Amino acid sequence: MIPSDTPPTGGRSVNARAGRLVDVIAADAAALRCSVTTGAGGERLIDMGAKAAGSLEAGRRLAEVCMGGFGTVTLSMASGLEGWPLAVTVHSMNPVVACLASQYGGWTLKDDASGFFALGSGPARALARKEVLFQELGYTDHHTSGTIVIEGDQPPPDALSRQIAADCGIATSNLNVLYAPTGSLAGAVQIAARVLEVGLHKAHELGFPLHDIVDGVGTAPIAPPIPDFIQAMGRTNDAIIYGGRVHLHVTGSDDAAQQLANDLPSRGSSAYGRPFAEIFAAVNGDFYQIDGKLFSPAAVTVTNLTTGRSFRAGALAPEIVEASFR
């Protein structure tokens, strides 16, 4: 079990900051309707919505853990969609580190013996640095503990937990594993809270200089939980693609800021216009056949701090959200 007094390695350590949030979640587990157990290697396992019921508050806290303690997540009734007002709003004053170095689900985790497969997100990614993305970010974390987040109904098997810890350069007993399935209350919140991360990832794919992104805010409706995985995946994707809004504050030229605003919204994708579950079915469940431009917020505002000008593009699509959520 990870002690609460584990010394941090500095204010920029996503794992140090997230670890303190995880300690509070563990202490509040009963109130959050979560459960805490210990794995065979001593790793701390926190079920936030699989066998445990979880809660909206559990999802809110899980999202802040995903962001490595460099983001704030709030719940409101201000989604901008009349029929589905329940929303999550995410803010980070260090969005590149919070969203891309921590929150992004980019670490492929698999165990052939058990058939386990998941994309790991959260601050442990910055310890392991398994992804090419980290070469571009120029961010490395060093800490004695690590936290990995799994979007699924079970934690990694024992052997994989040990491998994750080894890749992070930490003892298995200093590993936190938090997990919640897509169709749970906590899962729906933490996925909606990726709206800013999705915008940052799209900006990176477009080649916009990440060092010019200074601050960011995103809002998305929280999809109604549903047990069926495919429907849950469809709803949570639609929450961002058709109901998500992002406001980025950047520096640089107006031309670059305006181009980012124009290119960022999901409507620029050839796949735009149908609920995600329908799109997914049309490609026989092959994500790689879906136009990558679809994975973006619906509406974007980019404010250039250098000149004071703002640029807007995209729009919410309440009719598609309605078709998906009902």
Side-chain angles (χ1 to χ4, degrees):
M1 189 71 67
I2 301 170
S4 60
D5 59 350
T6 300
T9 58
R12 281 180 55 81
S13 169
V14 289
N15 282 281
R17 297 171 71 97
R20 293 192 285 271
L21 298 177
V22 174
D23 284 345
V24 177
I25 289 173
D28 293 346
L32 295 170
R33 297 198 295 268
C34 299
S35 67
V36 183
T37 57
T38 303
E43 68 274 25
R44 179 161 57 182
L45 307 174
I46 305 184
D47 177 353
M48 306 194 75
K51 293 180 180 178
S55 59
L56 293 173
E57 174 62 12
R60 187 195 70 77
R61 297 195 196 187
L62 179 60
E64 291 190 338
V65 169
C66 285
M67 299 180 78
F70 279 101
T72 58
V73 179
T74 57
L75 303 179
S76 74
M77 294 292 283
S79 71
L81 301 170
E82 183 178 355
W84 302 97
L86 180 60
V88 62
T89 295
V90 185
H91 168 244
S92 178
M93 65 184 76
N94 200 336
V96 174
V97 169
C99 296
L100 298 184
S102 188
Q103 188 179 23
Y104 176 61
W107 187 1
T108 300
L109 304 173
K110 62 179 180 178
D111 179 71
D112 293 335
S114 64
F116 179 92
F117 176 87
L119 292 176
S121 64
R125 294 176 48 245
L127 295 173
R129 293 173 57 87
K130 289 289 187 177
E131 305 149 52
V132 175
L133 175 61
F134 281 97
Q135 298 175 15
E136 302 175 51
L137 297 179
Y139 178 83
T140 304
D141 193 13
H142 299 284
H143 196 54
T144 55
S145 68
T147 299
I148 193 79
V149 176
I150 303 294
E151 182 186 333
D153 60 4
Q154 59 183 328
D158 296 337
L160 184 54
S161 289
R162 290 187 173 91
Q163 185 60 56
I164 292 169
D167 289 341
C168 291
I170 62 174
T172 307
S173 57
N174 280 358
L175 176 67
N176 293 307
V177 181
L178 288 72
Y179 60 102
T182 307
S184 65
L185 277 169
V189 175
Q190 78 88 8
I191 297 172
R194 293 178 180 274
V195 60
L196 181 60
E197 173 235 293
V198 169
L200 265 289
H201 186 260
K202 180 68 171 293
H204 172 255
E205 291 293 306
L206 292 170
F208 188 83
L210 294 178
H211 57 76
D212 285 347
I213 303 176
V214 178
D215 214 310
V217 179
T219 297
I222 297 171
I226 187 169
D228 181 85
F229 170 70
I230 298 299
Q231 293 185 61
M233 178 183 62
R235 287 180 175 185
T236 52
N237 272 283
D238 291 334
I240 293 174
I241 294 169
Y242 299 111
R245 295 172 287 163
V246 164
H247 191 152
L248 301 178
H249 292 80
V250 305
T251 57
S253 71
D254 280 340
D255 286 345
Q258 184 172 25
Q259 191 68 51
L260 178 63
N262 289 341
D263 292 345
L264 202 57
S266 54
R267 70 178 183 183
S269 168
S270 59
Y272 181 90
R274 291 182 292 163
F276 186 81
E278 293 184 15
I279 297 171
F280 190 67
V283 296
N284 297 314
D286 185 353
F287 265 106
Y288 296 102
Q289 295 299 314
I290 301 173
D291 179 14
K293 293 179 180 179
L294 181 67
F295 300 102
S296 309
V300 175
T301 299
V302 178
T303 295
N304 186 358
L305 299 175
T306 304
T307 66
R309 295 190 65 192
S310 293
F311 306 92
R312 294 191 295 267
L316 300 182
E319 71 285 354
I320 301 180
V321 176
E322 178 68 26
S324 175
F325 283 13
R326 67 185 179 196

